[in-house]
Each structure stands twice: as structure tokens, then as C-alpha cells.
């Protein structure tokens, strides 16, 4: 009997190369309301939900000319436009998702990004037909590292969490998947030697390194 039944992907940085697009959008929008962003603090917000990011900057540098929800929505809208105009797939993602589908695994997507951006990304990358379940932490009590978004996807896929393998590129995402009882593969172009990522069950630098025979080695 097959040990693993489903493969679940994070979205930003795992399926689509969008981290820089998020940074651009946030800089444009938050600067427009008078916030001065620093690289050090932007590293902290990188894995947050858009609501958390908006609250983060408002608490430090409050603005009065716009509602928080309007600023958050401007960031989301700008990211959506940048994805449509400039978004590119993470190298090798199309091939590995196709192979996963051919191998008969269920495929899920669990992201901290707003749900409105999920179809934008999947359409841009022409991956709409591959995913059996998708979910955004926007609809959960908390975003990653809370495991709820991963547990929701497993429930939608009708599989037990322990039968899932998760592809992630952030520490908070890996922690969320581990807290959900899932096995993890860290996809790390950078920070490969960072001790934080030792919590992953397997580490790869790109999808070409992932041999499907290695699935049984994810322990």
C-alpha cells in the first residue's frame, strides 16, 4: 500500500518566482502612505499574510490618510498585476507537477497569500487543471507557521496529514507543515546551510534534484 497519497505545495517561491514582486508592491504601496521600509524589517514580514504585514507596518508607522483594508487591498491588487505582467514559474515546477499527477498522487496548494491571487498564479503558469485542492490562510484563524491551512488542504483532499509531503521554501512554512504532522521537502536556492531548515525531512536546491524514488526516503 502506498505510504504517501498527496503532495502539497506552497505557492510564492515554490510554484511562482514572486517574492521580489511582493517586495516591489509592498514598497510602492506602503511608501505612498508615508512608511519607510527597512530591509531588516522586510525580512520579518516576508512570510506573513498581507493582513499581518499591513498591521505590522501600521503599528510601527501609523498613517491617517487611508484605511488599513484599503492599503492591504492595494498591495494585493498590485501583486496581481505584477504576476500577470512579469510572473514566471519556478524552474522545473511544471515537470514535477506533471510527473506527480501521472504517478497518481493528489495535489494540493496551501499558501499565506490571499485566495484571490491563487487563480491568477495558476492561470499565469497554466497549471489550473493539476490541483485537486487549494486553500489560503486568509480563511484560517492564523497564517503559517500555524498548521491550519495545511490541515484544511488535507481535509479537502480527503487524506490523513501523515500521508502528505509538503514542498516549502520558508522556515515558517516548514514549521506549519511539520506541526500538521506532514513530511517536508525544503526547496532552497538560498539559505541552504541555514540551521533553521534542518527541520525539513529533505532539502533540495531545485526540482531537478528530486527523484521520485526519493519519496520513500522522506522519513
Amino acid at each position: 500500500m502506498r505510504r504517501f497519497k498527496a503532495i502539497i505545495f506552497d505557492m510564492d517561491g515554490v510554484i511562482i518566482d514572486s517574492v521580489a514582486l511582493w517586495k516591489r508592491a509592498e514598497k510602492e504601496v506602503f511608501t505612498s502612505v508615508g512608511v519607510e521600509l527597512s530591509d531588516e524589517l522586510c525580512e520579518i514580514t516576508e512570510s506573513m499574510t498581507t493582513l499581518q504585514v499591513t498591521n505590522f507596518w501600521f503599528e510601527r508607522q501609523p498613517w491617517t490618510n487611508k484605511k488599513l483594508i484599503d492599503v492591504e487591498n492595494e498591495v494585493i491588487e498590485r501583486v496581481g498585476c505584477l504576476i500577470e505582467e512579469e510572473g514566471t514559474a519556478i524552474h522545473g515546477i511544471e515537470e514535477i507537477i506533471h510527473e506527480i499527477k501521472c504517478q497518481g498522487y493528489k495535489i494540493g496548494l496551501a499558501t499565506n497569500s490571499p485566495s484571490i491571487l491563487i487563480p491568477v498564479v495558476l492561470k499565469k503558469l497554466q497549471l489550473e487543471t493539476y490541483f485537486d485542492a487549494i486553500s489560503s490562510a486568509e480563511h484560517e484563524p492564523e497564517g503559517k507557521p500555524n498548521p491550519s491551512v495545511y490541515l484544511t488542504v488535507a481535509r479537502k483532499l480527503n487524506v490523513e496529514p501523515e500521508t502528505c509531503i509538503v514542498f516549502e521554501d520558508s522556515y515558517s512554512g516548514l514549521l506549519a507543515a511539520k506541526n500538521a504532522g506532514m513530511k517536508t521537502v525544503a526547496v532552497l536556492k538560498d539559505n541552504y546551510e541555514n540551521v533553521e531548515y534542518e527541520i525539513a525531512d529533505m532539502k533540495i536546491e531545485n526540482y531537478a534534484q528530486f527523484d521520485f524514488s526519493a519519496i520513500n526516503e522522506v522519513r
Side-chain angles (χ1 to χ4, degrees), residues 53 92 95 98 107 116 130 140 146 156 185 196:
V53 173
E95 292 81 3
H98 178 74
I107 304 179
I116 194 171
Y130 286 96
E140 305 292 342
N146 187 287
K156 288 180 178 180
V185 178
E196 283 190 335

Side-chain angles (χ1 to χ4, degrees), residues 122-188:
L122 297 185
K123 182 178 179 181
K124 174 68 177 182
L125 305 185
Q126 298 181 343
L127 296 174
E128 305 106 303
T129 61
Y130 286 96
F131 287 85
D132 302 296
I134 59 175
S135 193
S136 164
E138 172 187 19
H139 304 299
E140 305 292 342
E142 295 181 53
K144 303 171 188 177
N146 187 287
S148 57
V149 69
Y150 277 114
L151 294 173
T152 294
V153 171
R155 188 164 57 250
K156 288 180 178 180
L157 292 171
N158 195 29
V159 297
E160 296 299 319
E162 60 267 25
T163 67
C164 299
I165 297 176
V166 170
F167 283 87
E168 267 284 359
D169 71 326
S170 71
Y171 174 74
S172 66
L174 289 168
L175 191 58
K178 297 292 286 185
N179 288 339
M182 300 175 179
K183 297 301 181 182
T184 55
V185 178
V187 186
L188 303 170

